[in-house]
Amino acid sequence: MTIVSVPARLKHRGNELRFVIDGVVEEAPADASMIRLITRAQIVRNRLIDDRASIDDVAREENLTASYVTRLVRISFLAPDIIAGLLDGRYSDLTASRLMADTRFPLDWQKQREALRAA
C-alpha cells in the first residue's frame, strides 16, 4: 500500500465544499455567455467556409446584423489556446461583452496573446 500526503484543505464556495490542494491554481469556469459566443462564432465561420454563405446571407438567416456576424468571424480566428483559455476561465476578467466590444485582433496568434496579456 502506498500513502501519498499533500497539503490540502476544505474550502466553502457558495453552497459547496471543495477539496483544495495547496499550490494548485484554481481556474474560474467560463460563463455561459462566453461559451455561447464562441460556439456561435465557430458555427458562423463554418457556414461561411463550408456552405460558402456570405456574411449578409448568414446575418439575414440568423436575424443578426452584418456587423455582428463580422465580429463573430473575427473571434473564430483567435488562437486555439486563447479559445481554450476563454472556455476554461483563464481570462476571467474578459467577459463575452468585452470580447465583442473590440474584435480587431491581429491575425498573428503570438500578437493576439500579447494583446490579451496587455488588456
Side-chain angles (χ1 to χ4, degrees):
M1 177 198 303
T2 302
I3 298 175
V4 177
S5 177
V6 295
R9 58 192 158 81
L10 294 175
K11 180 180 178 182
H12 286 279
R13 188 178 201 176
N15 289 336
E16 65 183 42
L17 188 60
R18 302 190 95 183
F19 184 73
V20 179
I21 299 174
D22 293 334
V24 175
V25 177
E26 195 174 327
E27 295 174 351
D31 62 47
S33 59
M34 182 66 77
I35 294 169
R36 279 192 305 272
L37 177 66
I38 291 173
T39 301
R40 192 170 215 183
Q42 294 300 323
I43 290 169
V44 165
R45 179 181 173 178
N46 289 343
R47 294 216 32 225
L48 294 172
I49 293 170
D50 297 341
D51 300 345
R52 299 192 185 276
S54 71
I55 287 175
D56 290 330
D57 291 340
V58 173
R60 187 176 47 258
E61 292 166 13
E62 298 290 329
N63 200 26
L64 302 170
T65 65
S67 171
Y68 189 86
V69 172
T70 301
R71 287 181 282 152
L72 287 172
V73 171
R74 289 181 188 140
I75 289 172
S76 76
F77 284 99
L78 286 171
D81 60 301
I82 293 173
I83 295 289
L86 290 168
L87 292 174
D88 69 17
R90 277 183 268 154
Y91 298 96
S92 59
D93 59 328
L94 187 58
T95 63
S97 297
R98 274 189 66 205
L99 185 62
M100 281 298 283
D102 185 6
T103 58
R104 294 171 292 175
F105 307 109
L107 288 176
D108 180 84
W109 289 351
Q110 186 56 40
K111 290 182 181 173
Q112 290 175 3
R113 292 178 191 102
E114 292 166 7
L116 282 174
R117 271 195 295 273

